[in-house]
């Protein structure tokens, strides 16, 4: 697999980041695609496509795949966000006209909008 390298024109795609996180976690657990797909109740070919960043999976599918791996959806998305920061070399942009607010969320302000 070719590592994701952002260019000046293009940042990594979210589906690539999420897919990489799912694949790494599955492989770290030494589980097969079939095992995780069965546990998540999604098709094995579809999970493969999600892991390769070829499909833009719904939040329901991502949550099911994460649960099958013993993760929450928040865990999965937080790991993908961490990977985005690592690859782009910059944390989220802060806007000077917005005041900083304190959040009590365990997901550090990460939000997924449909």
């Amino acid at each position: 697999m070719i590592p994701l390298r952002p260019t000046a024109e293009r940042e990594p795609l979210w589906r690539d980041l999420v897919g990489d996180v799912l694949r790494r976690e599955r492989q770290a657990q030494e589980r097969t695609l079939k095992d995780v797909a069965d546990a998540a109740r999604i098709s094995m070919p579809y999970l493969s496509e999600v892991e390769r960043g070829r499909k833009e999976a719904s939040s329901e599918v991502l949550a099911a795949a994460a649960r099958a791996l013993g993760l929450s959806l928040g865990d999965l998305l937080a790991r993908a966000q961490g990977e985005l920061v690592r690859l782009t070399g910059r944390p989220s942009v802060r806007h000077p006209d917005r005041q900083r607010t304190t959040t009590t969320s365990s997901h550090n302000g990460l939000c997924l909008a449909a």
Side-chain angles (χ1 to χ4, degrees):
M1 175 183 250
I2 299 171
L4 297 174
R5 295 280 181 229
T7 64
E9 305 86 39
R10 183 177 163 269
E11 291 191 31
L13 297 176
W14 187 247
R15 67 177 184 244
D16 291 329
L17 298 169
V18 170
D20 285 345
V21 170
L22 287 171
R23 175 171 277 162
R24 277 195 312 269
E25 184 62 31
R26 179 180 59 78
Q27 290 174 339
Q29 293 180 18
E30 299 181 352
R31 294 175 66 189
T32 64
L33 268 171
K34 180 172 178 15
D35 175 46
V36 175
D38 288 349
R41 300 177 60 112
I42 56 179
S43 76
M44 187 176 69
Y46 189 74
L47 179 59
S48 176
E49 295 281 297
V50 170
E51 283 189 356
R52 289 183 288 144
R54 305 247 171 127
K55 295 291 182 187
E56 195 81 51
S58 69
S59 58
E60 290 87 358
V61 168
L62 294 178
R67 273 193 310 274
L69 292 166
L71 302 172
S72 69
L73 179 59
D75 293 333
L76 173 63
L77 299 180
R79 289 181 186 191
Q81 179 191 29
E83 192 64 12
L84 178 62
V85 169
R86 185 186 71 77
L87 289 171
T88 60
R90 59 181 186 253
S92 60
V93 177
R94 290 195 41 196
H95 298 280
D97 59 333
R98 295 186 188 160
Q99 291 184 347
R100 182 181 177 135
T101 58
T102 304
T103 179
T104 58
S105 170
S106 63
H107 305 298
N108 196 24
L110 180 65
C111 178
L112 179 66

